[in-house]
Amino acid sequence: MTTSDNSINFGVQQSGGVSQVGNQAVGPGAHAVGGSLWATAPGVDVPALVAQLVQTLDRHRDELPEQARAVAAELRAHLAQPDPHPARVTALLQRLAALAAPVAPVASAVTEVLRAVQQAT
């Protein structure tokens, strides 16, 4: 039995669970390009949410565990880049959300930014 290139399936198979995929490419020569971090649903001001998060982090810095402060510093550095990568920002926000959970104002601010960024990707 021979198979032509047209009949080969390079698709993705998932059984159960939940997936949220921003950009995905599958198969030989596939290529995916990330979108803009700041493009999101109308009415959502992501830069303002980020500014609010930074202010909240500053206000509650002493309440955060050292590891959360380190992730927050890495997040700030990444966001200061001219074109931050949405996937990296999302990963840092998710990590910060887990580490900052005991500090309710920070956890809430992180969740708002994370929600906005996930809508943008």
Side-chain angles (χ1 to χ4, degrees), residues 17-117:
V18 176
S19 288
Q20 181 174 350
V21 178
N23 300 301
Q24 179 175 338
V26 178
H31 181 74
V33 177
S36 169
L37 176 63
W38 309 120
T40 188
V44 177
D45 187 352
V46 177
L49 289 175
V50 170
Q52 180 182 354
L53 171 59
V54 169
Q55 291 171 357
T56 304
L57 286 167
D58 288 342
R59 264 195 315 274
H60 297 278
R61 184 184 191 330
D62 294 337
E63 300 169 53
L64 293 170
E66 180 56 40
Q67 196 174 17
R69 289 194 299 262
V71 172
E74 186 178 351
L75 176 63
R76 284 181 194 215
H78 196 72
L79 289 171
Q81 295 176 358
D83 190 20
H85 298 286
R88 182 65 183 142
V89 171
T90 299
L92 289 169
L93 286 167
Q94 289 171 336
R95 184 168 163 101
L96 184 58
L99 294 169
V103 184
V106 175
S108 177
V110 171
T111 299
E112 288 301 312
V113 175
L114 185 57
R115 185 177 300 132
V117 169

